Amino acid sequence: MTVAEICVNVAANSIDKNFTYRIPERFNFLTAGWRVIVPFGAQRVVGFIMNVSEFDDATKFEFKLKEILYVIDEEAWFTPEMLKAARWMAEFYLCPLSQTMGLFMSGRRVKKIPARFEKIYKLARPFEEKNFKNKPAQLRFLKLLSEHGEIKADKKNFAVAKILIAAGYVSAEQQRILRDSYSEIKSVPRRFELTAEQVAAIETVEKFLTARKFQGFLLYGVTGSGKTQVYIELAKITLRLGRRVIILVPEISLTSQAVMNFKAHFEGVAVIHSRLTIGERSDTFHRIRSGKVGIIIGARSALFTPIDDVGLIVVDEEQDSSYKQDKNAPRYHARTVAEEFAKFHGAAIVFGSATPSLENFYRAQCGELILLRMPRRVLDNPLPEVECVDMRGELRAGNRSVLSRALFVLLNKTLAANHQAILLLNRRGWSTVVMCRACGFVYGCPDCGLPMTYHVDGKLHCHHCEVEVEPPKICPACGSRHIKFLGTGTEKLEKALKLSLPRAKVLRMDRDSTGGKFGHKKILDAFANHEFDILFGTQMVAKGHDISGVTAVGVLSADAALSFSNFRAEETCFTLITQAAGRAGRADLPGKVIVQAYNVDAAAIRFGCEQDYEKFYANELPQREEAFFPPFCNLVKLIVMNADAGKAKDFAKEIRIAFRTEVAKNSSERQEIFGPIAAAIANLRGVYRFVLLIKSEDLSSVRNFLRAHKLHRRDDVIIDIDPMTTD
């Protein structure tokens, strides 16, 4: 009897084991990796075959085994590497295996995806022109086939093709249409000499690529130092070795630029991100499986493709928080997962950034990653000049505009010179807070309680829950009609720019203006073509863009990130300033940056304006060590939930006591637990939430504790390993 160990695709934390099913004789071809339909209770569900075994004696099983009902695909969907990776993720992030397996389906959650096909004609055998002297239409058709190899069937060629098929000269075949939204993107490679630092970085990584040996690298290069070209040269080496490449970018907004850069040098580039249709994703996976793709580019989901023999993984802008999946389980960090995948494949992984995460720079300092430095811009262009403006002084001088006087002057000079500017304001909407002036009540989201943002469409929006409601006319707390709309978002900035700079052509780029698959690309293409003078928006305007006409950058409310109670606040603030400043002066023209802040003495502001990462690192690291935060510990955040606030808090206290008794007191490593405290979203749709924060030098002991208490199997506890925030 042949049996299969199957992971059932059922969304329940309580199901954390696989089930055994009998494989019928008609399905004797099944092996690990196939998707099937199996009975599960009263349902029929999708199952993933994890292992296949032979048994002589059916009585070894306590119950009569149910059998597999249907096979979904024409081939095994999961490769051995995918199965191994899914198991590792489930173990590391303490989540059901079905959740991590689901990541690798990427658009194949339905039973079948309708594949599109087209009929094509091909030559079936050689022909002689003399045999078609009186048949000019047939001869023309045969010559076209001879020249092009194949021709799509259509109404115009149907009749002549039918005759030639009957005569044995032409064959008709069904060919799958592989949808690719990026097929029309073309680019021409730019020619320039590599810098000495680029050559040194390439040669260092090449040794490990050639040896097919895992190694991690941190490519630390200032903005404009040519990190992308290093990635391209390493990809060339990897493909020559017969292996494949994954290029990760943090956001969809950077995908098109990366695709253009790589398509200038390579054929066989595939793109994966969340805005592809299910059909496009399925076709892309088909191209990957069939070996037509050597390079995959995309956001974090690009890791979960059926690619084999990976030789190089690049994590560009590795410091970016977008690599963390924190809204839904599994709550993985793509940076961590990518490194583990590289180990599975014996691949090199290159983390690239002008502002590396403190964790990775610390690892590089300790020798865990090989540090590759590129301290100069290509062609030795200087970094832009940065001026910091104290907005308190602007208020004292009577300037209540969102634009400081210095920034207003800079923008006018930039426009007069026919150059371009980028403005960063990391807040969407019109007003960021709606408050009652009488009692101070702040209007919050009815689902999560977070402050709602007023938009130009006249509605209040929750950027967390995507809830949309009408703004209040009277205060729900005190009945006052004195409702005030406070704060400035990108929509209000747009109006301010149009009023103060009426001749400027301005273009907004934020989540509200970039709908659709190519929303980001359309905006960036229009700006790069100088159809607009000023590009402004949220943090997506500050990342990775290389636009030669930009000589001016303004960072508005630069210290806003410092208001969050998060140990990463200083790092986030510094990174945003440095990355935004790096968009200016990337070509032959010098750049100028204005940073506007109220807390100009903050270390993140000062070092950000100096564009000095290592000074910031030297200042921040001792504070992290003293407070026992990463990179000196691992963080695990537990969110305990219950419709009864008292029960949620009491259960959280029980967990805290158990952890201190069983782990902290008995471990030779430092282990701490804090809380419970109300979560940032303290009440979500009527469910109260309390946070416990664990700081540990030994993550395995924390996992063992959570497993022993079966917390990973509970639906009222969220486990977030390596969280980006602590509340």
Side-chain angles (χ1 to χ4, degrees):
M1 179 177 64
T2 308
V3 301
E5 176 192 338
I6 291 181
C7 168
V8 293
N9 191 22
V10 176
N13 286 341
S14 57
I15 300 175
D16 67 343
K17 66 175 184 178
N18 297 329
F19 297 86
T20 304
Y21 288 84
R22 188 168 65 83
I23 299 179
E25 183 65 28
R26 66 185 184 279
F27 297 148
N28 60 8
F29 55 86
L30 290 176
T31 57
W34 284 78
R35 296 195 313 148
V36 294
I37 301 294
V38 295
F40 189 74
Q43 309 174 65
R44 292 182 174 185
V45 301
V46 175
F48 315 122
I49 298 181
M50 306 303 296
N51 192 29
V52 172
S53 306
E54 292 287 342
F55 287 90
D56 296 329
D57 187 2
T59 61
K60 289 184 177 180
F61 297 97
E62 186 177 350
F63 303 101
K64 182 181 179 181
L65 296 182
K66 296 179 180 180
E67 67 175 32
I68 293 171
L69 301 177
Y70 308 107
V71 175
I72 294 177
D73 306 302
E74 291 80 28
E75 59 184 341
W77 175 248
F78 297 92
T79 65
E81 291 83 6
M82 292 163 75
L83 294 176
K84 185 177 181 180
R87 287 192 182 100
W88 175 85
M89 288 186 70
E91 176 79 9
F92 187 86
Y93 289 106
L94 293 175
C95 61
L97 180 61
S98 61
Q99 289 182 348
T100 59
M101 294 288 282
L103 292 171
F104 292 86
M105 290 195 294
S106 192
R108 296 178 66 93
R109 294 184 183 275
V110 293
K111 290 182 181 180
K112 286 190 180 290
I113 291 178
R116 291 171 55 190
F117 289 86
E118 62 184 359
K119 182 188 286 187
I120 60 167
Y121 298 125
K122 291 184 177 181
L123 273 180
R125 63 186 176 93
F127 66 93
E128 295 182 11
E129 291 189 25
K130 64 181 181 180
N131 296 331
F132 295 90
K133 285 183 179 180
N134 300 321
K135 303 171 183 176
Q138 294 180 28
L139 182 59
R140 281 197 301 271
F141 190 69
L142 290 170
K143 284 184 175 180
L144 283 172
L145 282 177
S146 179
E147 181 181 349
H148 297 288
E150 61 185 45
I151 294 176
K152 292 181 184 179
D154 57 34
K155 292 180 180 179
K156 294 179 180 178
N157 59 32
F158 174 77
V160 68
K162 184 177 181 180
I163 295 170
L164 290 169
I165 290 172
Y169 285 101
V170 171
S171 64
E173 299 177 10
Q174 291 291 328
Q175 180 174 277
R176 182 170 176 175
I177 301 172
L178 298 178
R179 287 153 286 193
D180 179 6
S181 299
Y182 292 82
S183 61
E184 299 303 316
I185 292 182
K186 306 295 181 186
S187 185
V188 178
R190 290 186 287 180
R191 304 292 180 186
F192 53 82
E193 291 292 322
L194 295 172
T195 66
E197 290 90 350
Q198 287 175 317
V199 171
I202 293 163
E203 290 178 347
T204 302
V205 180
E206 183 176 13
K207 296 173 186 175
F208 292 88
L209 292 174
T210 304
R212 293 175 173 253
K213 180 180 177 183
F214 165 78
Q215 178 59 50
F217 301 86
L218 176 59
L219 181 59
Y220 164 46
V222 299
T223 56
S225 59
K227 294 184 287 296
T228 299
Q229 194 60 39
V230 171
Y231 305 152
I232 289 169
E233 298 303 323
L234 292 175
K236 290 178 181 177
I237 295 168
T238 305
L239 294 179
R240 283 201 297 269
L241 292 169
R243 309 192 77 188
R244 300 207 267 183
V245 179
I246 298 175
I247 307 291
L248 297 184
V249 293
E251 290 195 17
I252 297 172
S253 62
L254 298 176
T255 303
S256 294
Q257 181 170 305
V259 172
M260 286 184 65
N261 287 329
F262 277 82
K263 279 202 167 187
H265 297 268
F266 305 101
E267 298 290 335
V269 175
V271 183
I272 290 287
H273 58 67
S274 60
R275 290 193 181 175
L276 298 182
T277 66
I278 290 177
E280 287 173 328
R281 207 169 297 155
S282 176
D283 288 347
T284 301
F285 276 31
H286 180 80
R287 291 173 59 215
I288 294 168
R289 295 180 73 90
S290 62
K292 296 177 181 178
V293 170
I295 297 174
I296 296 173
I297 298 174
R300 58 179 184 248
S301 60
L303 282 170
F304 308 111
T305 59
I307 189 171
D308 57 7
D309 200 13
V310 176
L312 173 69
I313 300 177
V314 171
V315 185
D316 194 27
E317 306 292 355
E318 62 86 20
Q319 82 292 338
D320 201 286
S321 61
S322 299
Y323 283 122
K324 172 69 174 179
Q325 160 68 318
D326 54 9
K327 284 193 175 182
N328 303 302
R331 291 172 173 81
Y332 68 92
H333 200 303
R335 190 172 63 205
T336 304
V337 174
E339 185 164 351
E340 199 65 26
F341 286 11
K343 292 176 184 177
F344 294 157
H345 287 275
I349 183 166
V350 178
F351 300 104
S353 181
T355 54
S357 60
L358 259 75
E359 291 92 329
N360 267 352
F361 199 75
Y362 180 75
R363 293 174 67 204
Q365 295 291 313
C366 296
E368 192 175 336
L369 300 174
I370 294 177
L371 182 61
L372 309 169
R373 292 177 179 270
M374 297 202 304
R376 298 179 300 130
R377 283 186 160 185
V378 293
L379 305 179
D380 275 329
N381 292 334
L383 289 171
E385 174 194 348
V386 180
E387 177 185 346
C388 187
V389 175
D390 188 339
M391 294 304 286
R392 295 170 300 181
E394 292 295 301
L395 288 174
R396 287 193 294 269
N399 179 21
R400 298 189 175 277
S401 169
V402 67
L403 304 176
S404 66
R405 291 166 295 175
L407 181 54
F408 182 73
V409 170
L410 175 62
L411 291 175
N412 274 296
K413 286 183 178 178
T414 303
L415 295 172
N418 198 31
H419 298 161
Q420 293 173 287
I422 290 177
L423 301 182
L424 166 66
L425 176 61
N426 203 24
R427 292 172 176 170
R428 292 161 57 195
W430 181 274
S431 296
T432 54
V433 176
V434 178
M435 187 181 76
C436 172
R437 288 187 293 177
C439 71
F441 175 83
V442 174
Y443 203 89
C445 171
D447 278 1
C448 70
L450 292 179
M452 300 193 79
T453 300
Y454 180 72
H455 280 247
V456 75
D457 64 2
K459 301 287 181 64
L460 294 180
H461 295 252
C462 174
H463 294 158
H464 179 269
C465 303
E466 304 300 330
V467 170
E468 181 182 298
V469 298
E470 296 290 334
K473 290 185 170 61
I474 61 171
C475 174
C478 71
S480 169
R481 292 186 177 275
H482 297 290
I483 306 297
K484 192 168 186 177
F485 296 79
L486 304 172
T488 297
T490 49
E491 291 178 349
K492 188 183 285 187
L493 173 60
E494 183 170 18
K495 183 176 181 181
L497 288 171
K498 288 179 178 178
L499 287 174
S500 57
L501 300 165
R503 294 185 179 179
K505 292 173 287 184
V506 299
L507 184 61
R508 175 162 58 94
M509 184 174 177
D510 56 23
R511 189 174 173 184
D512 303 306
S513 66
T514 53
K517 193 181 308 173
F518 292 109
H520 303 89
K521 185 178 185 300
K522 290 175 182 176
I523 288 174
L524 291 171
D525 284 351
F527 187 61
N529 293 333
H530 214 142
E531 296 171 26
F532 293 86
D533 304 308
I534 300 174
L535 174 67
F536 67 96
T538 52
Q539 61 178 338
M540 61 179 68
V541 305
K543 299 176 183 178
H545 311 306
D546 187 358
I547 299 173
S548 60
V550 175
T551 60
V553 165
V555 184
L556 285 63
S557 300
D559 51 347
L562 299 177
S563 62
F564 295 103
S565 57
N566 180 12
F567 75 98
R568 300 185 196 273
E570 292 273 348
E571 183 178 6
T572 301
C573 178
F574 169 84
T575 297
L576 209 54
I577 292 171
T578 307
Q579 291 285 348
R583 301 314 108 209
R586 295 175 71 94
D588 298 330
L589 301 169
K592 176 70 184 288
V593 180
I594 300 290
V595 175
Q596 298 182 176
Y598 290 91
N599 187 6
V600 294
D601 296 322
I605 301 291
R606 289 188 287 108
F607 296 129
C609 290
E610 293 176 21
Q611 300 171 84
D612 195 325
Y613 174 82
E614 295 191 48
K615 276 187 182 178
F616 170 76
Y617 174 83
N619 180 78
E620 181 73 5
L621 195 69
Q623 299 180 53
R624 294 277 186 96
E625 185 172 22
E626 183 179 356
F628 193 42
F629 274 116
F632 300 99
C633 76
N634 294 107
L635 292 182
V636 178
K637 181 168 71 173
L638 307 179
I639 301 179
V640 182
M641 305 172 291
N642 198 297
D644 185 313
K647 289 181 180 178
K649 195 169 187 178
D650 288 344
F651 183 45
K653 288 178 180 178
E654 290 176 22
I655 296 172
R656 181 191 65 195
I657 292 169
F659 184 85
R660 287 177 176 170
T661 303
E662 300 171 26
V663 181
K665 286 185 179 179
N666 300 317
S667 176
S668 59
E669 306 289 344
R670 188 174 175 183
Q671 310 274 4
E672 297 178 359
I673 187 168
F674 301 90
I677 61 169
I681 301 174
N683 186 315
L684 181 61
R685 301 181 186 94
V687 176
Y688 292 91
R689 297 150 51 95
F690 288 88
V691 168
L692 289 168
L693 185 68
I694 297 173
K695 298 179 179 181
S696 172
E697 288 182 330
D698 178 20
L699 192 56
S700 62
S701 63
V702 179
R703 283 202 203 89
N704 292 338
F705 168 82
L706 298 173
R707 285 195 197 94
H709 287 265
K710 295 183 170 54
L711 296 180
H712 64 306
R713 296 180 63 178
R714 298 181 65 113
D715 293 326
D716 58 352
V717 177
I718 292 174
I719 299 174
D720 190 353
I721 292 175
D722 295 334
M724 296 305 295
T725 60
T726 56
D727 54 6

